[in-house]
Amino acid sequence: MKKFELTSEFVTFLGKKLFRIKALVSFGDVKEGELGGFVEKEENLDQSGNAWVYGNAWVSGDAWVCGNARVSGNAWVYGNARVSGNAWVYGNARVYGNAWVYGDARVYGNARVCGNAWVYGNAWVYGNARVCGNARVSGNAWVCGDAQVYGDAWVYGDAWVQNCRDYSATSCFGSENRTTTFFRTKDGGISVRCGCFYGTLNEFREKVKERHGDSRTAKEYLMLADLMEFRFPKDE
Protein backbone atom coordinates (compact mmCIF):
# COMPACT_ATOMS: atom_id res chain seq x y z
CA MET A 1 0.00 0.00 0.00
CA LYS A 2 1.33 3.44 -0.91
CA LYS A 3 1.66 5.94 1.91
CA PHE A 4 1.88 9.02 -0.34
CA GLU A 5 1.15 10.33 -3.81
CA LEU A 6 2.39 13.20 -5.95
CA THR A 7 0.06 16.17 -6.29
CA SER A 8 -0.14 18.56 -9.24
CA GLU A 9 1.60 21.39 -7.32
CA PHE A 10 5.24 21.67 -8.35
CA VAL A 11 8.42 23.73 -8.25
CA THR A 12 11.33 23.63 -10.69
CA PHE A 13 14.84 22.72 -9.57
CA LEU A 14 17.82 22.23 -11.90
CA GLY A 15 15.45 22.06 -14.83
CA LYS A 16 13.31 19.32 -13.25
CA LYS A 17 9.79 19.47 -11.86
CA LEU A 18 9.44 18.53 -8.19
CA PHE A 19 5.92 17.72 -7.00
CA ARG A 20 4.42 18.29 -3.57
CA ILE A 21 3.53 15.05 -1.83
CA LYS A 22 0.35 14.11 0.03
CA ALA A 23 -0.04 11.39 2.65
CA LEU A 24 -2.59 8.69 1.75
CA VAL A 25 -2.53 7.12 5.23
CA SER A 26 -1.48 8.14 8.73
CA PHE A 27 1.98 7.04 9.92
CA GLY A 28 4.52 8.32 12.42
CA ASP A 29 3.64 11.97 13.07
CA VAL A 30 2.05 12.39 9.63
CA LYS A 31 -1.72 12.42 9.26
CA GLU A 32 -3.74 11.11 6.32
CA GLY A 33 -4.26 13.92 3.81
CA GLU A 34 -1.32 15.98 5.11
CA LEU A 35 0.75 17.77 2.50
CA GLY A 36 4.51 17.38 2.60
CA GLY A 37 7.49 18.80 0.75
CA PHE A 38 8.54 18.24 -2.85
CA VAL A 39 10.04 15.23 -4.64
CA GLU A 40 10.91 14.67 -8.26
CA LYS A 41 9.51 11.13 -8.34
CA GLU A 42 8.06 8.49 -6.05
CA GLU A 43 11.42 6.73 -5.89
CA ASN A 44 12.85 9.65 -3.89
CA LEU A 45 10.88 8.65 -0.78
CA ASP A 46 10.39 5.16 0.62
CA GLN A 47 6.76 4.06 0.55
CA SER A 48 7.38 2.02 3.72
CA GLY A 49 8.60 3.17 7.13
CA ASN A 50 7.97 6.60 8.63
CA ALA A 51 10.32 8.61 6.41
CA TRP A 52 8.84 11.90 5.24
CA VAL A 53 9.68 15.12 3.45
CA TYR A 54 8.12 18.12 5.21
CA GLY A 55 7.36 21.76 4.55
CA ASN A 56 9.33 23.29 1.68
CA ALA A 57 12.08 20.65 1.65
CA TRP A 58 13.11 19.23 -1.74
CA VAL A 59 14.38 15.78 -2.72
CA SER A 60 15.40 15.13 -6.31
CA GLY A 61 17.62 13.27 -8.75
CA ASP A 62 18.35 9.74 -7.54
CA ALA A 63 18.39 10.80 -3.90
CA TRP A 64 16.49 8.54 -1.48
CA VAL A 65 14.95 9.20 1.93
CA CYS A 66 14.02 6.04 3.81
CA GLY A 67 13.61 4.35 7.19
CA ASN A 68 12.42 6.89 9.77
CA ALA A 69 14.41 9.75 8.28
CA ARG A 70 13.07 13.30 8.03
CA VAL A 71 13.89 16.11 5.63
CA SER A 72 12.26 19.40 6.55
CA GLY A 73 12.42 23.19 6.53
CA ASN A 74 14.11 24.44 3.37
CA ALA A 75 16.55 21.53 3.17
CA TRP A 76 17.57 20.00 -0.17
CA VAL A 77 18.67 16.42 -0.75
CA TYR A 78 19.69 15.62 -4.31
CA GLY A 79 22.07 13.82 -6.63
CA ASN A 80 22.70 10.28 -5.36
CA ALA A 81 22.47 11.22 -1.69
CA ARG A 82 20.89 8.97 0.95
CA VAL A 83 19.18 9.96 4.20
CA SER A 84 18.12 6.98 6.27
CA GLY A 85 17.66 5.49 9.73
CA ASN A 86 16.49 8.14 12.19
CA ALA A 87 18.51 10.89 10.53
CA TRP A 88 17.13 14.41 10.23
CA VAL A 89 18.15 17.03 7.66
CA TYR A 90 16.56 20.42 8.18
CA GLY A 91 16.91 24.19 8.12
CA ASN A 92 18.76 25.29 4.98
CA ALA A 93 20.99 22.23 4.95
CA ARG A 94 22.09 20.59 1.69
CA VAL A 95 23.01 16.92 1.23
CA TYR A 96 24.11 15.98 -2.27
CA GLY A 97 26.52 14.09 -4.47
CA ASN A 98 26.99 10.55 -3.13
CA ALA A 99 26.74 11.65 0.50
CA TRP A 100 25.02 9.51 3.15
CA VAL A 101 23.42 10.75 6.36
CA TYR A 102 22.11 7.97 8.57
CA GLY A 103 21.71 6.56 12.05
CA ASP A 104 20.63 9.30 14.47
CA ALA A 105 22.65 12.00 12.72
CA ARG A 106 21.50 15.61 12.39
CA VAL A 107 22.46 18.02 9.59
CA TYR A 108 20.97 21.48 9.88
CA GLY A 109 21.47 25.23 9.67
CA ASN A 110 23.42 26.10 6.52
CA ALA A 111 25.50 22.92 6.68
CA ARG A 112 26.59 21.03 3.56
CA VAL A 113 27.37 17.32 3.25
CA CYS A 114 28.55 16.34 -0.20
CA GLY A 115 30.89 14.25 -2.31
CA ASN A 116 31.29 10.77 -0.84
CA ALA A 117 31.04 11.99 2.75
CA TRP A 118 29.19 10.08 5.49
CA VAL A 119 27.62 11.54 8.62
CA TYR A 120 26.24 8.91 10.98
CA GLY A 121 25.81 7.68 14.54
CA ASN A 122 24.75 10.54 16.80
CA ALA A 123 26.85 13.08 14.92
CA TRP A 124 25.68 16.65 14.33
CA VAL A 125 26.79 18.90 11.47
CA TYR A 126 25.40 22.41 11.67
CA GLY A 127 26.02 26.12 11.29
CA ASN A 128 28.01 26.83 8.13
CA ALA A 129 29.99 23.61 8.37
CA ARG A 130 31.03 21.58 5.34
CA VAL A 131 31.75 17.85 5.22
CA CYS A 132 32.91 16.68 1.81
CA GLY A 133 35.25 14.45 -0.14
CA ASN A 134 35.60 11.04 1.53
CA ALA A 135 35.30 12.47 5.04
CA ARG A 136 33.49 10.68 7.86
CA VAL A 137 31.81 12.29 10.87
CA SER A 138 30.49 9.78 13.38
CA GLY A 139 29.98 8.83 17.01
CA ASN A 140 28.84 11.83 19.06
CA ALA A 141 30.94 14.29 17.06
CA TRP A 142 29.89 17.88 16.45
CA VAL A 143 31.09 19.77 13.38
CA CYS A 144 29.85 23.34 13.38
CA GLY A 145 30.64 27.00 12.85
CA ASP A 146 32.75 27.52 9.73
CA ALA A 147 34.48 24.14 9.97
CA GLN A 148 35.38 22.25 6.81
CA VAL A 149 36.11 18.55 7.11
CA TYR A 150 37.24 17.01 3.85
CA GLY A 151 39.57 14.55 2.14
CA ASP A 152 39.89 11.24 4.02
CA ALA A 153 39.49 12.80 7.47
CA TRP A 154 37.52 10.88 10.09
CA VAL A 155 36.14 13.00 12.93
CA TYR A 156 34.86 10.66 15.59
CA GLY A 157 33.70 10.06 19.16
CA ASP A 158 33.30 13.24 21.23
CA ALA A 159 34.96 15.51 18.70
CA TRP A 160 34.02 19.19 18.62
CA VAL A 161 35.27 20.87 15.46
CA GLN A 162 34.28 24.51 15.04
CA ASN A 163 36.90 25.68 12.52
CA CYS A 164 39.96 24.51 10.61
CA ARG A 165 42.13 24.92 13.73
CA ASP A 166 40.22 22.20 15.55
CA TYR A 167 41.28 19.22 13.46
CA SER A 168 44.03 18.01 11.15
CA ALA A 169 44.18 14.96 8.88
CA THR A 170 47.56 13.65 7.75
CA SER A 171 47.85 11.03 5.01
CA CYS A 172 50.39 8.42 3.91
CA PHE A 173 51.77 7.61 7.36
CA GLY A 174 52.42 4.19 8.84
CA SER A 175 52.91 0.81 7.21
CA GLU A 176 49.55 1.06 5.41
CA ASN A 177 49.85 4.72 4.32
CA ARG A 178 46.64 5.48 6.17
CA THR A 179 45.12 8.82 7.12
CA THR A 180 45.44 9.83 10.77
CA THR A 181 43.00 12.45 12.06
CA PHE A 182 43.63 14.58 15.17
CA PHE A 183 40.82 16.69 16.63
CA ARG A 184 39.63 18.62 19.63
CA THR A 185 37.05 17.03 21.93
CA LYS A 186 34.16 18.49 23.91
CA ASP A 187 36.15 18.23 27.17
CA GLY A 188 39.01 20.32 25.72
CA GLY A 189 41.29 17.38 25.01
CA ILE A 190 42.80 16.02 21.79
CA SER A 191 41.80 12.66 20.34
CA VAL A 192 43.09 10.60 17.44
CA ARG A 193 41.47 8.33 14.88
CA CYS A 194 43.94 6.09 13.03
CA GLY A 195 42.70 2.90 11.40
CA CYS A 196 40.94 0.91 14.14
CA PHE A 197 42.48 3.04 16.88
CA TYR A 198 40.55 5.77 18.67
CA GLY A 199 41.79 7.41 21.84
CA THR A 200 43.52 10.37 23.45
CA LEU A 201 46.83 11.75 22.27
CA ASN A 202 48.70 10.03 25.13
CA GLU A 203 46.94 6.74 24.44
CA PHE A 204 47.98 7.10 20.81
CA ARG A 205 51.63 7.58 21.84
CA GLU A 206 51.52 4.46 24.01
CA LYS A 207 49.92 2.41 21.24
CA VAL A 208 52.58 3.56 18.75
CA LYS A 209 55.41 2.53 21.10
CA GLU A 210 53.75 -0.81 21.81
CA ARG A 211 53.21 -1.66 18.15
CA HIS A 212 56.16 -0.03 16.39
CA GLY A 213 58.87 0.09 19.05
CA ASP A 214 61.78 2.34 18.06
CA SER A 215 61.20 2.11 14.32
CA ARG A 216 61.10 4.96 11.82
CA THR A 217 57.30 4.58 11.68
CA ALA A 218 57.09 5.07 15.44
CA LYS A 219 59.28 8.16 15.32
CA GLU A 220 57.14 9.70 12.58
CA TYR A 221 53.92 9.07 14.50
CA LEU A 222 55.39 10.44 17.73
CA MET A 223 56.61 13.57 15.97
CA LEU A 224 53.10 14.00 14.57
CA ALA A 225 51.65 13.70 18.06
CA ASP A 226 54.05 16.38 19.34
CA LEU A 227 53.16 18.65 16.43
CA MET A 228 49.42 18.26 17.07
CA GLU A 229 49.87 18.96 20.76
CA PHE A 230 51.58 22.21 19.77
CA ARG A 231 48.90 22.97 17.14
CA PHE A 232 45.99 22.52 19.58
CA PRO A 233 47.10 24.34 22.76
CA LYS A 234 44.75 23.85 25.71
CA ASP A 235 44.52 27.58 26.41
CA GLU A 236 42.86 28.37 23.05
Side-chain angles (χ1 to χ4, degrees):
M1 180 183 295
K2 289 185 176 182
K3 71 180 185 185
F4 74 93
E5 65 179 1
L6 307 184
T7 69
S8 59
E9 182 184 354
F10 69 89
V11 295
T12 302
F13 176 60
L14 297 178
K16 302 288 186 179
K17 286 185 178 180
L18 277 61
F19 299 91
R20 191 177 289 280
I21 56 176
K22 178 181 179 180
L24 298 175
V25 295
S26 295
F27 58 92
D29 63 354
V30 178
K31 304 301 182 184
E32 180 181 351
E34 183 176 332
L35 295 176
F38 294 84
V39 302
E40 183 180 338
K41 52 196 174 186
E42 287 190 5
E43 289 79 8
N44 293 136
L45 177 63
D46 197 350
Q47 288 282 6
S48 62
N50 292 323
W52 191 240
V53 180
Y54 299 78
N56 292 310
W58 299 355
V59 181
S60 65
D62 291 320
W64 191 34
V65 179
C66 61
N68 297 311
R70 294 179 286 175
V71 181
S72 62
N74 295 305
W76 297 354
V77 178
Y78 59 101
N80 295 307
R82 299 287 184 270
V83 181
S84 62
N86 295 307
W88 189 5
V89 178
Y90 58 102
N92 293 308
R94 306 287 185 259
V95 179
Y96 56 99
N98 296 307
W100 286 15
V101 178
Y102 60 98
D104 293 309
R106 301 286 184 269
V107 178
Y108 60 99
N110 294 309
R112 303 289 185 265
V113 180
C114 57
N116 296 307
W118 293 359
V119 177
Y120 58 102
N122 294 302
W124 290 7
V125 178
Y126 59 100
N128 295 309
R130 302 289 186 268
V131 180
C132 54
N134 295 308
R136 305 286 185 264
V137 177
S138 62
N140 295 305
W142 293 352
V143 176
C144 56
D146 296 316
Q148 296 187 25
V149 178
Y150 55 93
D152 294 315
W154 192 343
V155 175
Y156 186 79
D158 287 320
W160 190 2
V161 176
Q162 301 178 77
N163 56 58
C164 65
R165 297 290 300 175
D166 289 336
Y167 96 101
S168 182
T170 56
S171 300
C172 295
F173 279 88
S175 57
E176 298 181 25
N177 294 322
R178 67 176 86 239
T179 295
T180 305
T181 309
F182 301 82
F183 45 83
R184 290 188 190 273
T185 54
K186 296 170 188 173
D187 62 3
I190 304 169
S191 285
V192 186
R193 179 77 197 204
C194 184
C196 295
F197 174 84
Y198 168 67
T200 66
L201 199 59
N202 285 334
E203 289 169 344
F204 176 68
R205 288 184 173 113
E206 292 303 315
K207 190 68 175 180
V208 166
K209 293 173 185 176
E210 174 190 319
R211 181 170 182 181
H212 299 289
D214 194 39
S215 66
R216 180 185 179 89
T217 295
K219 292 175 181 177
E220 287 182 346
Y221 273 137
L222 293 174
M223 283 190 287
L224 265 181
D226 290 343
L227 174 62
M228 295 305 158
E229 190 167 44
F230 178 77
R231 177 182 171 84
F232 304 139
K234 291 183 178 180
D235 58 353
E236 277 195 357

